[in-house]
Amino acid sequence: MAAYKQLLRITGAAGMARLACLVVGLAALVAMVGFPRHATWGLGELDHLFLGLAVVLSILPLADRSARFFMQLNDWWRPLLPSVVVGVTVAGYILLALVDDRFIADNFGLADRTAAVSLWSKLTVLIWLGLELLELFRRISFSGWHPATVLLLSFLAAVLIGAALLTLPVARAGPGRADFSTALFTSTSAICVTGLIVVDTGTYWSREGQIVILALIQIGGLGIMTFGAFFSLLVGRGLLIREAVLMGDIMERRMVTEVRSLVLVVLGFTVTCESVGAMLISGLWADLPSRERLFQSVFHSVSAFCNAGFALAPDSFERYAYKWQVWGALAGLIVAGGLGFVVIENGMRWLIDQPIRMVRRMLDRRQRRPYRLSLTTRLVWITTLVLLVAGTALILWIENDRLFSGRSWPQKLSLAWFQSVTCRTAGFNTLPIAQLTEVALFLSIILMFIGASPGSTGGGVKTTSVAVATLTLRAILRSRPRVEVFRRTIPELLVYRALLVVALSTGFVVTLTLILLAIESHSGRFLDYLFEVTSAFATVGLSTGVTPELTEGGRAVIVIAMFAGRVGPLTLFMALAGASAAERYRYPEESVVLG
């Protein structure tokens, strides 16, 4: 009851009514398309009943939206997107009432008017439900809840919704439906952009199921709150103060204008990269029909940019290992998605500022204050470059006379380079991971544990945490009281947080590995299980092949590892602990003997 009152307070009575209508409408839609036909159900009548219910419930939200529109005529532009959806929905039903069956069959490829109305009602129910869910998350974001709690609950809700959709019979390619364990594992892996699978994505799931996985990857890669903030900007409402503060905590921004610009940069950069990436890698499937080629390109482009690692082929990209689309375009998408949107925004502004300053210098104009690269951007760029180059060199050296034996040097270099890139939370593979030597596997575990950069689509403890921890070690060895780099001093609180993230993450991986070893009870596979847990926690998705063999308990351990790794151990503890109490006193200092 308390949860209901809290939800009612957040959404309002009208919002609860709209949401309830749309949930029932979604249930009717699911009953129409999600379950197989059965001869004894009187399906003709049942289909028409579900269709009528879906049509009615897709129109019901129009009353509330229309009332809002007419009450805000002086601010008519504010509910712009919902008003457009209202108009398009009504216009669609009117158009379908006027045209005949022959016109529909000739122009839309549908059997008759009923099929067209059925399709239109499905689309409108889904659109309205999406808008209402975004509105719900938006209201929750400025309801006063702790940002860590909002982030945790949003991912948990997305995982459960995705699992429910994947259990529908229509989501599976074969007969029957997926069991809940498989659906939950796949949904968690997609939302957490991990890529670990217990069934083959390309053969087990139908095209509808693959589309659900694709949507979960995109939502999980960017974050539900990012979509909610973008929706707020799209409908012209702007970001409220609490909402901007929440997004600022997630994106490490404090000013409302900075949060708005960063949200737009995130969506714009994502759409651009994924579109260009899809065009570049489409040549890998040149022999397929255009529609299948388009889906393959879009699916793998989104999966690469979001560092998800889901592939529609059982061997991932092993058959295309030496193609430039893989070691060039696909690797570029992975790196771009793993840099972090804050770093990308700062780098883009810096690059744009350089030619402007050059032109002003040539014209003898007064120079304005240069746009500075932030310390975060510098640390991310340097750490990423060092990890990519060092990882490539070490893998090439370790596997040169082993797994890479008999290949040309360009082929060896492309394999080592892509392995170094994909270990940074991507999850694709161009070589069989199980055949790597133990040294290469342990090196891959280290690279996976470090992961991508903060504010990115990737996981891991993040490059900046490792960089700050390394700089702290250097300061200690030099007996320096402060952590300094690039003529800047890193605040003590951030140093503590970086060390805490590394320590908590190490504890998580060690604890979950011990539990997995105890559950599975397979001797001689310690490194494989450590690799699997690290891959799950760092949201990488690489596997030595043990994931499909796990028991139900082992799957649960990997699910926990993926979820904790995507949310972040520090965020998880903050959500469970709640708001921190203000410091009101300090105890006297006393030395402790160390070493």
Side-chain angles (χ1 to χ4, degrees):
M1 181 61 68
Y4 172 78
K5 289 181 178 179
Q6 178 75 353
L7 187 61
L8 183 62
R9 183 181 67 82
I10 294 173
T11 61
M16 284 290 291
R18 291 197 312 272
L19 193 59
C21 288
L22 288 166
V23 168
V24 177
L26 181 65
L29 185 151
V30 168
M32 256 197 307
V33 302
F35 292 90
R37 299 294 193 257
H38 195 281
T40 62
W41 286 3
L43 289 168
E45 296 78 5
L46 192 61
D47 276 345
H48 283 83
L49 175 63
F50 284 146
L51 175 58
L53 184 61
V55 170
V56 170
L57 293 173
S58 68
I59 295 178
L60 277 179
L62 304 184
D64 177 66
R65 292 295 184 183
S66 300
R68 289 189 181 192
F69 178 78
F70 286 112
M71 286 189 299
Q72 301 177 20
L73 287 178
N74 52 344
D75 290 329
W76 61 271
W77 51 274
R78 288 189 176 275
L80 181 60
L81 182 60
S83 301
V84 170
V85 176
V86 168
V88 172
T89 302
V90 174
Y93 283 121
I94 293 175
L95 179 63
L96 291 175
L98 295 177
V99 299
D100 56 13
D101 292 346
R102 184 178 182 83
F103 179 84
I104 292 174
D106 292 341
N107 292 275
F108 300 102
L110 298 173
D112 52 22
R113 194 198 314 270
T114 303
V117 173
S118 174
L119 178 61
W120 188 249
S121 65
K122 296 171 189 175
L123 292 175
T124 53
V125 167
L126 288 177
I127 291 172
W128 277 114
L129 185 65
L131 291 177
E132 292 301 326
L133 288 177
L134 286 175
E135 176 73 8
L136 176 62
F137 280 117
R138 177 180 179 273
R139 288 177 177 270
I140 289 176
S141 68
F142 60 84
S143 62
W145 290 6
H146 194 283
T149 304
V150 175
L151 193 64
L152 179 66
L153 293 178
S154 65
F155 274 104
L156 183 60
V159 166
L160 295 178
I161 292 173
L165 292 176
L166 290 176
T167 55
L168 297 176
V170 73
R172 186 177 175 183
R177 70 170 75 179
D179 61 275
F180 185 74
S181 173
T182 301
L184 180 64
F185 191 99
T186 304
S187 177
T188 306
S189 183
I191 280 291
C192 299
V193 289
T194 304
L196 286 175
I197 55 175
V198 290
V199 292
D200 180 55
T201 307
T203 56
Y204 186 87
W205 303 107
S206 65
R207 180 50 48 86
E208 290 79 6
Q210 292 167 3
I211 291 175
V212 171
I213 293 173
L214 178 62
L216 294 176
I217 291 172
Q218 188 72 84
I219 293 172
L222 298 185
I224 297 174
M225 301 314 302
T226 302
F227 283 100
F230 179 71
F231 168 73
S232 299
L233 296 175
L234 188 63
V235 300
R237 295 173 179 169
L239 296 177
L240 299 181
I241 298 299
R242 284 189 177 179
E243 187 177 11
V245 170
L246 173 65
M247 294 301 301
D249 288 335
I250 295 174
M251 296 181 165
E252 299 182 357
R253 284 290 188 270
R254 291 295 173 260
M255 296 180 62
V256 175
T257 54
E258 290 182 349
V259 175
R260 290 172 179 168
S261 63
L262 185 55
V263 169
L264 296 177
V265 167
V266 167
L267 271 297
F269 186 77
T270 299
V271 172
T272 301
C273 285
E274 291 176 351
S275 301
V276 173
M279 289 188 291
L280 291 177
I281 66 176
S282 62
L284 295 174
W285 302 279
D287 56 332
L288 297 178
S290 57
R291 180 177 297 182
E292 180 65 21
R293 180 181 180 183
L294 176 62
F295 183 77
Q296 291 273 354
S297 304
V298 171
F299 185 94
H300 291 100
S301 179
V302 173
S303 182
F305 182 80
C306 292
N307 281 224
F310 275 87
L312 297 179
D315 59 351
S316 191
F317 284 91
E318 290 184 27
R319 70 185 72 178
Y320 308 115
Y322 310 124
K323 299 282 189 179
W324 69 266
Q325 291 95 335
V326 174
W327 58 258
L330 205 67
L333 284 170
I334 295 169
V335 173
L339 282 177
F341 295 111
V342 174
V343 172
I344 289 169
E345 183 202 29
N346 183 239
M348 288 172 57
R349 291 182 182 274
W350 181 81
L351 290 174
I352 293 172
D353 185 66
Q354 298 310 301
I356 295 176
R357 288 179 55 79
M358 187 181 299
V359 171
R360 292 179 68 91
R361 190 180 299 112
M362 292 173 58
L363 297 176
D364 294 329
R365 297 285 182 87
R366 180 181 177 183
Q367 292 294 320
R368 56 188 176 85
R369 185 177 180 181
Y371 188 83
R372 188 179 64 86
L373 283 177
S374 67
L375 183 58
T376 299
T377 301
R378 296 184 183 188
L379 289 178
V380 165
W381 283 3
I382 293 174
T383 308
T384 299
L385 182 62
V386 169
L387 290 174
L388 289 176
V389 174
T392 302
L394 289 173
I395 293 172
L396 187 61
W397 173 63
I398 293 169
E399 297 292 348
N400 181 41
D401 297 327
R402 297 177 178 87
L403 187 58
F404 295 169
S405 179
R407 295 178 171 90
S408 64
W409 274 102
Q411 292 176 339
K412 293 179 180 179
L413 186 60
S414 66
L415 290 173
W417 158 254
F418 194 82
Q419 180 66 15
S420 178
V421 171
T422 196
C423 282
R424 304 285 313 294
T425 80
F428 294 119
N429 61 282
T430 55
L431 49 85
I433 302 298
Q435 296 181 21
L436 289 173
T437 59
E438 291 186 349
V439 181
L441 280 177
F442 195 75
L443 175 62
S444 300
I445 289 174
I446 295 174
L447 292 175
M448 290 190 301
F449 184 76
I450 296 172
S453 301
S456 69
T457 59
V461 298
K462 303 299 188 291
T463 53
T464 48
S465 297
V466 173
V468 171
T470 305
L471 292 170
T472 304
L473 178 61
R474 186 188 70 170
I476 293 173
L477 294 176
R478 292 183 175 184
S479 299
R480 302 281 294 181
R482 294 175 296 276
V483 180
E484 300 169 337
V485 62
F486 296 126
R487 299 182 179 180
R488 294 290 187 272
T489 299
I490 300 177
E492 288 186 0
L493 181 60
L494 294 183
V495 174
Y496 296 153
R497 288 190 65 173
L499 297 177
L500 181 61
V501 166
V502 175
L504 286 176
S505 300
T506 303
F508 254 94
V509 171
V510 171
T511 303
L512 292 177
T513 302
L514 288 174
I515 296 174
L516 190 62
L517 286 169
I519 291 176
E520 297 300 322
S521 301
H522 291 301
S523 60
R525 306 200 70 173
F526 165 73
L527 196 60
D528 290 339
Y529 289 139
L530 176 62
F531 188 97
E532 219 74 9
V533 171
T534 307
S535 178
F537 180 79
T539 68
V540 178
L542 293 176
S543 175
T544 57
V546 302
T547 299
E549 305 170 3
L550 294 176
T551 61
E552 295 293 326
R555 289 186 183 185
V557 171
I558 298 299
V559 166
I560 294 172
M562 290 188 293
F563 189 80
R566 184 66 182 108
V567 175
L570 188 59
T571 303
L572 192 61
F573 276 109
M574 289 172 62
L576 297 176
S580 58
E583 184 182 28
R584 298 182 180 180
Y585 55 86
R586 293 185 65 179
Y587 293 110
E589 294 183 357
E590 183 177 350
S591 299
V592 176
V593 178
L594 301 175

PDB file of all heavy atoms in Angstrom, residues 521-547:
ATOM      1  N   SER A 521      31.611 -27.177  -8.651  1.00  0.00           N
ATOM      2  CA  SER A 521      32.404 -28.326  -8.179  1.00  0.00           C
ATOM      3  C   SER A 521      33.134 -29.045  -9.313  1.00  0.00           C
ATOM      4  O   SER A 521      33.138 -30.274  -9.390  1.00  0.00           O
ATOM      5  CB  SER A 521      31.503 -29.333  -7.429  1.00  0.00           C
ATOM      6  OG  SER A 521      30.882 -28.716  -6.333  1.00  0.00           O
ATOM      7  N   HIS A 522      33.752 -28.274 -10.227  1.00  0.00           N
ATOM      8  CA  HIS A 522      34.574 -28.853 -11.286  1.00  0.00           C
ATOM      9  C   HIS A 522      36.027 -28.513 -10.999  1.00  0.00           C
ATOM     10  O   HIS A 522      36.415 -27.347 -10.988  1.00  0.00           O
ATOM     11  CB  HIS A 522      34.175 -28.305 -12.659  1.00  0.00           C
ATOM     12  CG  HIS A 522      32.822 -28.773 -13.110  1.00  0.00           C
ATOM     13  ND1 HIS A 522      32.506 -30.094 -13.274  1.00  0.00           N
ATOM     14  CD2 HIS A 522      31.694 -28.086 -13.419  1.00  0.00           C
ATOM     15  CE1 HIS A 522      31.252 -30.213 -13.673  1.00  0.00           C
ATOM     16  NE2 HIS A 522      30.728 -29.002 -13.760  1.00  0.00           N
ATOM     17  N   SER A 523      36.831 -29.510 -10.757  1.00  0.00           N
ATOM     18  CA  SER A 523      38.237 -29.271 -10.448  1.00  0.00           C
ATOM     19  C   SER A 523      39.009 -28.946 -11.720  1.00  0.00           C
ATOM     20  O   SER A 523      38.666 -29.390 -12.813  1.00  0.00           O
ATOM     21  CB  SER A 523      38.848 -30.516  -9.790  1.00  0.00           C
ATOM     22  OG  SER A 523      38.759 -31.636 -10.653  1.00  0.00           O
ATOM     23  N   GLY A 524      40.061 -28.159 -11.573  1.00  0.00           N
ATOM     24  CA  GLY A 524      40.931 -27.832 -12.694  1.00  0.00           C
ATOM     25  C   GLY A 524      40.404 -26.744 -13.607  1.00  0.00           C
ATOM     26  O   GLY A 524      40.977 -26.503 -14.670  1.00  0.00           O
ATOM     27  N   ARG A 525      39.331 -26.050 -13.215  1.00  0.00           N
ATOM     28  CA  ARG A 525      38.762 -25.014 -14.080  1.00  0.00           C
ATOM     29  C   ARG A 525      38.719 -23.660 -13.369  1.00  0.00           C
ATOM     30  O   ARG A 525      37.883 -22.810 -13.684  1.00  0.00           O
ATOM     31  CB  ARG A 525      37.352 -25.404 -14.528  1.00  0.00           C
ATOM     32  CG  ARG A 525      37.268 -26.777 -15.186  1.00  0.00           C
ATOM     33  CD  ARG A 525      36.028 -26.929 -16.013  1.00  0.00           C
ATOM     34  NE  ARG A 525      36.072 -26.117 -17.210  1.00  0.00           N
ATOM     35  CZ  ARG A 525      35.140 -26.174 -18.173  1.00  0.00           C
ATOM     36  NH1 ARG A 525      34.124 -26.987 -18.046  1.00  0.00           N
ATOM     37  NH2 ARG A 525      35.226 -25.396 -19.236  1.00  0.00           N
ATOM     38  N   PHE A 526      39.623 -23.471 -12.412  1.00  0.00           N
ATOM     39  CA  PHE A 526      39.622 -22.230 -11.655  1.00  0.00           C
ATOM     40  C   PHE A 526      39.775 -21.019 -12.569  1.00  0.00           C
ATOM     41  O   PHE A 526      39.030 -20.040 -12.452  1.00  0.00           O
ATOM     42  CB  PHE A 526      40.751 -22.243 -10.619  1.00  0.00           C
ATOM     43  CG  PHE A 526      41.045 -20.886 -10.038  1.00  0.00           C
ATOM     44  CD1 PHE A 526      40.170 -20.303  -9.132  1.00  0.00           C
ATOM     45  CD2 PHE A 526      42.174 -20.171 -10.410  1.00  0.00           C
ATOM     46  CE1 PHE A 526      40.420 -19.051  -8.602  1.00  0.00           C
ATOM     47  CE2 PHE A 526      42.429 -18.919  -9.889  1.00  0.00           C
ATOM     48  CZ  PHE A 526      41.548 -18.355  -8.981  1.00  0.00           C
ATOM     49  N   LEU A 527      40.731 -21.060 -13.490  1.00  0.00           N
ATOM     50  CA  LEU A 527      40.979 -19.914 -14.365  1.00  0.00           C
ATOM     51  C   LEU A 527      39.777 -19.637 -15.266  1.00  0.00           C
ATOM     52  O   LEU A 527      39.456 -18.474 -15.546  1.00  0.00           O
ATOM     53  CB  LEU A 527      42.236 -20.146 -15.208  1.00  0.00           C
ATOM     54  CG  LEU A 527      42.832 -18.911 -15.882  1.00  0.00           C
ATOM     55  CD1 LEU A 527      43.233 -17.880 -14.847  1.00  0.00           C
ATOM     56  CD2 LEU A 527      44.034 -19.278 -16.750  1.00  0.00           C
ATOM     57  N   ASP A 528      39.110 -20.700 -15.727  1.00  0.00           N
ATOM     58  CA  ASP A 528      37.918 -20.517 -16.568  1.00  0.00           C
ATOM     59  C   ASP A 528      36.802 -19.805 -15.800  1.00  0.00           C
ATOM     60  O   ASP A 528      36.146 -18.894 -16.331  1.00  0.00           O
ATOM     61  CB  ASP A 528      37.411 -21.870 -17.067  1.00  0.00           C
ATOM     62  CG  ASP A 528      38.346 -22.498 -18.091  1.00  0.00           C
ATOM     63  OD1 ASP A 528      39.138 -21.749 -18.700  1.00  0.00           O
ATOM     64  OD2 ASP A 528      38.309 -23.726 -18.254  1.00  0.00           O
ATOM     65  N   TYR A 529      36.580 -20.216 -14.545  1.00  0.00           N
ATOM     66  CA  TYR A 529      35.525 -19.592 -13.747  1.00  0.00           C
ATOM     67  C   TYR A 529      35.896 -18.162 -13.359  1.00  0.00           C
ATOM     68  O   TYR A 529      35.030 -17.275 -13.328  1.00  0.00           O
ATOM     69  CB  TYR A 529      35.233 -20.426 -12.506  1.00  0.00           C
ATOM     70  CG  TYR A 529      34.529 -21.728 -12.819  1.00  0.00           C
ATOM     71  CD1 TYR A 529      34.875 -22.914 -12.179  1.00  0.00           C
ATOM     72  CD2 TYR A 529      33.506 -21.772 -13.760  1.00  0.00           C
ATOM     73  CE1 TYR A 529      34.223 -24.109 -12.468  1.00  0.00           C
ATOM     74  CE2 TYR A 529      32.856 -22.958 -14.065  1.00  0.00           C
ATOM     75  CZ  TYR A 529      33.221 -24.120 -13.421  1.00  0.00           C
ATOM     76  OH  TYR A 529      32.576 -25.290 -13.716  1.00  0.00           O
ATOM     77  N   LEU A 530      37.175 -17.929 -13.042  1.00  0.00           N
ATOM     78  CA  LEU A 530      37.619 -16.568 -12.758  1.00  0.00           C
ATOM     79  C   LEU A 530      37.442 -15.692 -13.987  1.00  0.00           C
ATOM     80  O   LEU A 530      36.999 -14.533 -13.881  1.00  0.00           O
ATOM     81  CB  LEU A 530      39.086 -16.571 -12.313  1.00  0.00           C
ATOM     82  CG  LEU A 530      39.722 -15.195 -12.063  1.00  0.00           C
ATOM     83  CD1 LEU A 530      39.006 -14.477 -10.930  1.00  0.00           C
ATOM     84  CD2 LEU A 530      41.211 -15.343 -11.755  1.00  0.00           C
ATOM     85  N   PHE A 531      37.768 -16.227 -15.154  1.00  0.00           N
ATOM     86  CA  PHE A 531      37.582 -15.500 -16.411  1.00  0.00           C
ATOM     87  C   PHE A 531      36.105 -15.175 -16.624  1.00  0.00           C
ATOM     88  O   PHE A 531      35.744 -14.058 -17.005  1.00  0.00           O
ATOM     89  CB  PHE A 531      38.116 -16.341 -17.574  1.00  0.00           C
ATOM     90  CG  PHE A 531      38.155 -15.624 -18.888  1.00  0.00           C
ATOM     91  CD1 PHE A 531      39.307 -15.032 -19.354  1.00  0.00           C
ATOM     92  CD2 PHE A 531      37.023 -15.551 -19.696  1.00  0.00           C
ATOM     93  CE1 PHE A 531      39.357 -14.373 -20.575  1.00  0.00           C
ATOM     94  CE2 PHE A 531      37.036 -14.888 -20.917  1.00  0.00           C
ATOM     95  CZ  PHE A 531      38.225 -14.306 -21.353  1.00  0.00           C
ATOM     96  N   GLU A 532      35.239 -16.144 -16.359  1.00  0.00           N
ATOM     97  CA  GLU A 532      33.803 -15.967 -16.594  1.00  0.00           C
ATOM     98  C   GLU A 532      33.210 -14.915 -15.663  1.00  0.00           C
ATOM     99  O   GLU A 532      32.431 -14.050 -16.083  1.00  0.00           O
ATOM    100  CB  GLU A 532      33.081 -17.299 -16.403  1.00  0.00           C
ATOM    101  CG  GLU A 532      31.970 -17.546 -17.399  1.00  0.00           C
ATOM    102  CD  GLU A 532      32.500 -17.892 -18.778  1.00  0.00           C
ATOM    103  OE1 GLU A 532      33.708 -18.115 -18.939  1.00  0.00           O
ATOM    104  OE2 GLU A 532      31.686 -17.948 -19.718  1.00  0.00           O
ATOM    105  N   VAL A 533      33.570 -14.976 -14.377  1.00  0.00           N
ATOM    106  CA  VAL A 533      33.051 -14.011 -13.408  1.00  0.00           C
ATOM    107  C   VAL A 533      33.564 -12.613 -13.726  1.00  0.00           C
ATOM    108  O   VAL A 533      32.803 -11.627 -13.683  1.00  0.00           O
ATOM    109  CB  VAL A 533      33.442 -14.421 -11.974  1.00  0.00           C
ATOM    110  CG1 VAL A 533      33.108 -13.307 -10.987  1.00  0.00           C
ATOM    111  CG2 VAL A 533      32.716 -15.690 -11.569  1.00  0.00           C
ATOM    112  N   THR A 534      34.846 -12.495 -14.049  1.00  0.00           N
ATOM    113  CA  THR A 534      35.407 -11.187 -14.401  1.00  0.00           C
ATOM    114  C   THR A 534      34.750 -10.639 -15.654  1.00  0.00           C
ATOM    115  O   THR A 534      34.438  -9.444 -15.738  1.00  0.00           O
ATOM    116  CB  THR A 534      36.924 -11.282 -14.607  1.00  0.00           C
ATOM    117  OG1 THR A 534      37.531 -11.897 -13.476  1.00  0.00           O
ATOM    118  CG2 THR A 534      37.533  -9.906 -14.821  1.00  0.00           C
ATOM    119  N   SER A 535      34.525 -11.504 -16.645  1.00  0.00           N
ATOM    120  CA  SER A 535      33.860 -11.075 -17.882  1.00  0.00           C
ATOM    121  C   SER A 535      32.454 -10.578 -17.600  1.00  0.00           C
ATOM    122  O   SER A 535      32.003  -9.588 -18.180  1.00  0.00           O
ATOM    123  CB  SER A 535      33.822 -12.238 -18.871  1.00  0.00           C
ATOM    124  OG  SER A 535      33.147 -11.881 -20.055  1.00  0.00           O
ATOM    125  N   ALA A 536      31.742 -11.245 -16.680  1.00  0.00           N
ATOM    126  CA  ALA A 536      30.388 -10.826 -16.320  1.00  0.00           C
ATOM    127  C   ALA A 536      30.411  -9.528 -15.528  1.00  0.00           C
ATOM    128  O   ALA A 536      29.655  -8.596 -15.811  1.00  0.00           O
ATOM    129  CB  ALA A 536      29.694 -11.925 -15.523  1.00  0.00           C
ATOM    130  N   PHE A 537      31.288  -9.442 -14.524  1.00  0.00           N
ATOM    131  CA  PHE A 537      31.333  -8.262 -13.677  1.00  0.00           C
ATOM    132  C   PHE A 537      31.785  -7.025 -14.455  1.00  0.00           C
ATOM    133  O   PHE A 537      31.285  -5.925 -14.227  1.00  0.00           O
ATOM    134  CB  PHE A 537      32.274  -8.504 -12.493  1.00  0.00           C
ATOM    135  CG  PHE A 537      32.374  -7.341 -11.557  1.00  0.00           C
ATOM    136  CD1 PHE A 537      31.380  -7.106 -10.622  1.00  0.00           C
ATOM    137  CD2 PHE A 537      33.443  -6.469 -11.620  1.00  0.00           C
ATOM    138  CE1 PHE A 537      31.457  -6.036  -9.759  1.00  0.00           C
ATOM    139  CE2 PHE A 537      33.529  -5.388 -10.759  1.00  0.00           C
ATOM    140  CZ  PHE A 537      32.533  -5.166  -9.828  1.00  0.00           C
ATOM    141  N   ALA A 538      32.732  -7.200 -15.367  1.00  0.00           N
ATOM    142  CA  ALA A 538      33.217  -6.074 -16.175  1.00  0.00           C
ATOM    143  C   ALA A 538      32.343  -5.841 -17.399  1.00  0.00           C
ATOM    144  O   ALA A 538      32.683  -5.005 -18.243  1.00  0.00           O
ATOM    145  CB  ALA A 538      34.659  -6.322 -16.610  1.00  0.00           C
ATOM    146  N   THR A 539      31.232  -6.562 -17.531  1.00  0.00           N
ATOM    147  CA  THR A 539      30.270  -6.475 -18.647  1.00  0.00           C
ATOM    148  C   THR A 539      30.994  -6.604 -19.980  1.00  0.00           C
ATOM    149  O   THR A 539      30.768  -5.829 -20.905  1.00  0.00           O
ATOM    150  CB  THR A 539      29.454  -5.172 -18.608  1.00  0.00           C
ATOM    151  OG1 THR A 539      30.295  -4.049 -18.871  1.00  0.00           O
ATOM    152  CG2 THR A 539      28.781  -4.978 -17.266  1.00  0.00           C
ATOM    153  N   VAL A 540      31.846  -7.609 -20.090  1.00  0.00           N
ATOM    154  CA  VAL A 540      32.609  -7.837 -21.321  1.00  0.00           C
ATOM    155  C   VAL A 540      31.867  -8.800 -22.232  1.00  0.00           C
ATOM    156  O   VAL A 540      31.493  -8.465 -23.349  1.00  0.00           O
ATOM    157  CB  VAL A 540      34.022  -8.372 -21.006  1.00  0.00           C
ATOM    158  CG1 VAL A 540      34.792  -8.648 -22.290  1.00  0.00           C
ATOM    159  CG2 VAL A 540      34.784  -7.370 -20.149  1.00  0.00           C
ATOM    160  N   GLY A 541      31.669 -10.042 -21.757  1.00  0.00           N
ATOM    161  CA  GLY A 541      30.943 -11.003 -22.572  1.00  0.00           C
ATOM    162  C   GLY A 541      31.805 -12.068 -23.200  1.00  0.00           C
ATOM    163  O   GLY A 541      31.275 -12.995 -23.822  1.00  0.00           O
ATOM    164  N   LEU A 542      33.141 -11.962 -23.083  1.00  0.00           N
ATOM    165  CA  LEU A 542      33.997 -13.034 -23.579  1.00  0.00           C
ATOM    166  C   LEU A 542      33.825 -14.263 -22.697  1.00  0.00           C
ATOM    167  O   LEU A 542      33.590 -14.149 -21.489  1.00  0.00           O
ATOM    168  CB  LEU A 542      35.458 -12.593 -23.588  1.00  0.00           C
ATOM    169  CG  LEU A 542      35.834 -11.487 -24.576  1.00  0.00           C
ATOM    170  CD1 LEU A 542      37.296 -11.087 -24.416  1.00  0.00           C
ATOM    171  CD2 LEU A 542      35.568 -11.922 -26.013  1.00  0.00           C
ATOM    172  N   SER A 543      33.963 -15.445 -23.294  1.00  0.00           N
ATOM    173  CA  SER A 543      33.721 -16.664 -22.544  1.00  0.00           C
ATOM    174  C   SER A 543      34.651 -17.771 -23.038  1.00  0.00           C
ATOM    175  O   SER A 543      34.952 -17.851 -24.229  1.00  0.00           O
ATOM    176  CB  SER A 543      32.263 -17.104 -22.689  1.00  0.00           C
ATOM    177  OG  SER A 543      32.044 -18.354 -22.066  1.00  0.00           O
ATOM    178  N   THR A 544      35.085 -18.582 -22.098  1.00  0.00           N
ATOM    179  CA  THR A 544      35.874 -19.759 -22.465  1.00  0.00           C
ATOM    180  C   THR A 544      34.979 -20.944 -22.808  1.00  0.00           C
ATOM    181  O   THR A 544      35.472 -22.018 -23.122  1.00  0.00           O
ATOM    182  CB  THR A 544      36.813 -20.149 -21.313  1.00  0.00           C
ATOM    183  OG1 THR A 544      36.030 -20.389 -20.123  1.00  0.00           O
ATOM    184  CG2 THR A 544      37.814 -19.029 -21.036  1.00  0.00           C
ATOM    185  N   GLY A 545      33.662 -20.728 -22.724  1.00  0.00           N
ATOM    186  CA  GLY A 545      32.714 -21.775 -23.098  1.00  0.00           C
ATOM    187  C   GLY A 545      32.022 -22.443 -21.937  1.00  0.00           C
ATOM    188  O   GLY A 545      31.242 -23.386 -22.136  1.00  0.00           O
ATOM    189  N   VAL A 546      32.240 -21.964 -20.707  1.00  0.00           N
ATOM    190  CA  VAL A 546      31.633 -22.632 -19.556  1.00  0.00           C
ATOM    191  C   VAL A 546      30.245 -22.101 -19.226  1.00  0.00           C
ATOM    192  O   VAL A 546      29.477 -22.770 -18.528  1.00  0.00           O
ATOM    193  CB  VAL A 546      32.539 -22.505 -18.301  1.00  0.00           C
ATOM    194  CG1 VAL A 546      33.903 -23.084 -18.568  1.00  0.00           C
ATOM    195  CG2 VAL A 546      32.648 -21.057 -17.866  1.00  0.00           C
ATOM    196  N   THR A 547      29.889 -20.909 -19.725  1.00  0.00           N
ATOM    197  CA  THR A 547      28.588 -20.324 -19.368  1.00  0.00           C
ATOM    198  C   THR A 547      27.404 -21.201 -19.766  1.00  0.00           C
ATOM    199  O   THR A 547      26.491 -21.413 -18.956  1.00  0.00           O
ATOM    200  CB  THR A 547      28.442 -18.922 -19.983  1.00  0.00           C
ATOM    201  OG1 THR A 547      29.467 -18.073 -19.461  1.00  0.00           O
ATOM    202  CG2 THR A 547      27.104 -18.317 -19.650  1.00  0.00           C
TER     203      THR A 547
END
